[in-house]
Amino acid sequence: MFGLFKKFKTGFAKTVSAISTKTKGLFSGRKIDVASLDELEEALYTADFGVETTGEILTEIKAAYKKEKELRGQEAAAIGAAVLARTLEGAEGVLKVGTGGPSLAKNPGVIALIGVNGSGKTTTAAKLAWRLKQDGKTVTLAACDTFRAAAVEQLKTWATRLDLEIIASHTGADAAAVAFDAWQAAKSRGRDYLIVDTAGRLHTKGNLMEELAKIRRVLQKHDPAAPQHRWLVVDGSLGSNSIEQARVFHQSFGLTGLVVTKLDGTSRGGALVGIWRQLKIPIYFLGLGEQAEDLQPFSVENYTKAVFGLDE
Amino acid sequence: MFESLTDKLGQALRKLRGVGKLSEENMADALKEVRTALLAADVHFKVAREFVERVQTQCVGQEVLKGVAPGQQIVKIIHDELVRLLGEGANALSGARPLKILMVGLHGSGKTTSTAKLGKLLKKRGYRPLVAACDVYRPAAIDQLEILASQEELAFYCDRISKDVPAIGVAALAAAQAATADCIIFDTAGRLQIDADLIEEVKKLHARIQPDEVLLVADGALGQEAVNVAKAFHDALALTGLVLTKMDGDARGGAALSIKSIANVPIKFIGTGEKTGDFDTFYPERLAQRILGMGDVVSLVEKAQETIDQKEAEKMAESLRKGDFNLDDFLAQMQQIKKMGSMQSIIGMMPGMSGMELPAGADKQMARTEAIIKSMTRQERKKPDILNGSRRKRIADGSGVKIVEVNQLLKQFQQMQQMMKMLKGGGAKKMMRQMEAMKGKGGFPGM
């Protein structure tokens, strides 16, 4: 556990320092006062937690401050972390071993990665495949982003670099056809997982959303349960619009999970709290860096502690 | 876009109906909601606070003008303030030749796509652009730019072996000179603003190529982070402008407000779609109007002017005058609309329709109509009256549709023709009156 937290914290280190520079002193042994409450509000807002969550955290800390004028920064931070942890209760997604198709046929468990342009789907697909492989699973990648110029080449390069198995066609090919073939390949080779990388699409484009539905229909010809995992890849530096993205993708595809990327910057990915609040889609992984091993499982405890600068 | 901010402001301001004089007290609620709306729209915390304070100072003590709802008055003040915040006047590119443009930004913000889009735009403006691939990290980034460049017939430079980005930049300059390009756009790798090594690298590139423009490419849906990003890049590279991407989504776009006010970098372009043509000059006045739900009629008109062929338009006007609007004109008109971009992007610019999505296949329907008309002979297009059953069958077969669809199109066309005749024969005034009456009944809700 300690090792994991440490990894999480180093990845999140800049994030932590970013929020704690804002709250430095505030969350130390110093006593809380009206001015520091103001600063706290700013820190929470600038973490993209959104209006609701920020309001709740503030209310609880203010209430505690009313009761106990000697309230110290550390205690306020603990309250904040507790509120956040309570809000995020149940938000940890766990990829169960053997989550696959019907019990009769040993079908590959299909993970479809979807999201808007530039959220990091292709990179996540490669990192995720690598991680599953490290865990002893067998994985096939399907390069179904046949729209963006050179997206197929991008995933192929990753596959070579990380020694992963990949099924790909060419740019402009029918994405659904690639998915269909890839599933067949994964099945005949007896793979545990098939990870489907798809083209980025803004959630407001009906026709592109239709293409995703087609990929799904085609996969279901092989296995009615596929894709068992429909994960939205969200850029962690985005604000409230990521909630809108999640809502629309969820309506169309019934999302089963989230991957929040690019959290190695100074953004705190607070929007994931908003997504969880509104849609209760579990968060599986966080992207904390450029290396393959930087895709880390999401942990509520680690996240809330890191955000509020609390140590073990 | 921005419709959510508009909605929220509308709600907050509706509460101000019926007050006589604006005061701190009666505005407190409304302004609090304005602030919440701004924060919910991802405007940076400090920017939102300052914005509200400024609006408050300007509003307090003002008499509510007769004949104007207090809400409208505040909207005017907010509008003016928004325009000021977004930067008065349009922000043109440097006039230097050769024009050197450096594109920088976070991962996945849209640098490579924007590079190609900007290249296409500048080519249209008479430049001979060369795009240079300086992203040596992301797998296949060079391929992506090369493909886009060849699609748009832009000169292209890359070095697939070297990892020395500043040297690649210098070589690109020489390549541009050899190719007699007068505009070089450097696409760079995505980098975090806190990644010291990569920031150092792009600073070196900057020092070597001495760009006239340094454009930060930022996702329009960026959250509070937008400010840190813009500030850090600005400190490192002295940005000259911002490209706001993915603005065809429904992001509230508070990032645009934040970046402009904190880093004080003008927003120069916005990306509004997947096609390389979906790239527009940024006009703060228009965006402010858009924020307030007034639509973007100016942009639409200009886009129309730019794409509609003057001669075609004159020919059309002539046939309208004569009252012999035929299927050829119909086809020409349709092609003009198509030149303006996808139907969806046109709809997005119309007042009150920014959030609307066309039913899937609206563009497809247009293509079918085009196919039907193109399957007709010249004579048939000029005189649709001669289209009997067997001719219709031939047309249906030729364009791969059912006869019913041909009939439908002809019926629509007839209606249109009748309308045109009405316009010609003094019926225009009558029609206008009818429309006016309809408008009066509907009224303008809100505000």
Side-chain angles (χ1 to χ4, degrees), chain B residues 103-151:
Chain B
M103 311 287 276
V104 296
L106 298 178
H107 306 267
S109 58
K111 286 172 297 303
T112 307
T113 307
S114 297
T115 299
K117 284 179 171 183
L118 182 57
K120 177 178 178 152
L121 184 82
L122 290 175
K123 194 176 161 190
K124 212 162 84 185
R125 289 187 186 168
Y127 283 91
R128 296 159 52 83
L130 175 138
V131 293
C134 299
D135 179 356
V136 297
Y137 302 103
R138 179 164 60 93
I142 296 176
D143 299 334
Q144 187 184 352
L145 188 63
E146 184 171 26
I147 293 165
L148 292 172
S150 80
Q151 273 168 13

Side-chain angles (χ1 to χ4, degrees), chain A residues 117 203 205-206 262 266, chain B residues 107 225 246 248 250 274 357:
Chain A
N117 315 67
H203 49 295
K205 309 264 165 126
K262 306 184 206 172
T266 52
Chain B
H107 306 267
E225 183 68 356
K246 303 178 211 174
D248 47 335
D250 55 1
E274 308 234 357
E357 197 185 335

Side-chain angles (χ1 to χ4, degrees), chain A residues 245-257:
Chain A
Q245 293 174 8
R247 192 195 315 282
V248 178
F249 277 110
H250 191 46
Q251 268 166 11
S252 308
F253 301 104
L255 297 176
T256 64

Side-chain angles (χ1 to χ4, degrees), chain A residues 9 16 19-20 23 27 74 77 304-311:
Chain A
K9 238 192 116 179
V16 174
I19 195 160
S20 51
T23 51
F27 285 151
Q74 276 290 321
T304 50
K305 277 185 175 172
V307 161
F308 281 93
L310 294 171
D311 280 310

Side-chain angles (χ1 to χ4, degrees), chain A residues 42-275:
Chain A
E42 180 181 343
L44 293 172
Y45 267 118
T46 51
D48 285 314
F49 282 134
V51 179
E52 278 181 323
T53 308
T54 300
E56 279 180 20
I57 296 174
L58 275 178
T59 310
E60 293 221 9
I61 293 181
K62 276 181 186 163
Y65 172 63
K66 227 176 185 174
K67 260 194 243 155
E68 173 60 66
K69 293 285 176 199
E70 299 291 300
L71 191 72
R72 308 240 157 214
Q74 276 290 321
E75 292 155 339
I79 295 171
V83 176
L84 196 57
R86 203 174 61 222
T87 310
L88 286 171
E89 204 186 318
E92 285 170 27
V94 180
L95 194 57
K96 285 197 199 78
V97 186
T99 331
S103 49
L104 285 178
K106 199 186 164 296
N107 286 338
V110 182
I111 304 173
L113 298 177
I114 59 184
V116 303
N117 315 67
S119 58
K121 287 172 297 304
T122 306
T123 309
T124 300
K127 289 180 182 175
L128 182 61
W130 183 84
R131 168 161 283 278
L132 289 171
K133 211 176 138 191
Q134 294 308 106
D135 293 346
K137 303 284 178 298
T138 51
V139 191
T140 302
L141 280 167
C144 294
D145 180 355
T146 53
F147 177 78
R148 180 165 58 93
V152 174
E153 287 73 13
Q154 187 181 346
L155 192 61
K156 274 185 182 163
T157 311
W158 271 111
T160 319
R161 207 183 273 176
L162 300 174
D163 191 23
L164 302 165
E165 183 176 285
I166 181 171
I167 303 294
S169 182
H170 54 89
T171 304
D174 182 24
V178 178
F180 188 86
D181 293 346
W183 193 95
Q184 217 148 28
K187 164 82 179 170
S188 66
R189 295 171 195 177
R191 302 293 181 238
D192 298 321
Y193 288 102
L194 173 69
I195 299 174
V196 180
D197 177 30
T198 65
R201 64 204 76 225
L202 285 177
H203 49 295
T204 49
K205 309 264 165 126
N207 48 344
L208 290 175
M209 295 298 267
E210 184 46 42
E211 189 204 67
L212 271 185
K214 188 179 167 194
I215 294 181
R216 189 176 181 179
R217 277 200 306 275
V218 160
L219 283 170
Q220 282 169 346
K221 285 186 183 160
H222 284 308
D223 178 355
Q228 291 84 351
H229 306 282
R230 299 171 293 278
W231 291 357
L232 182 72
V233 181
V234 185
D235 183 336
S237 55
L238 299 192
S240 61
N241 191 245
S242 48
I243 300 173
E244 216 42 56
Q245 293 174 8
R247 192 195 315 282
V248 178
F249 277 110
H250 191 46
Q251 268 166 11
S252 308
F253 301 104
L255 297 176
T256 64
L258 277 187
V259 178
V260 184
T261 60
K262 306 184 206 172
L263 285 178
D264 46 337
T266 52
S267 63
R268 275 132 272 166
L272 70 87
V273 183
I275 298 179

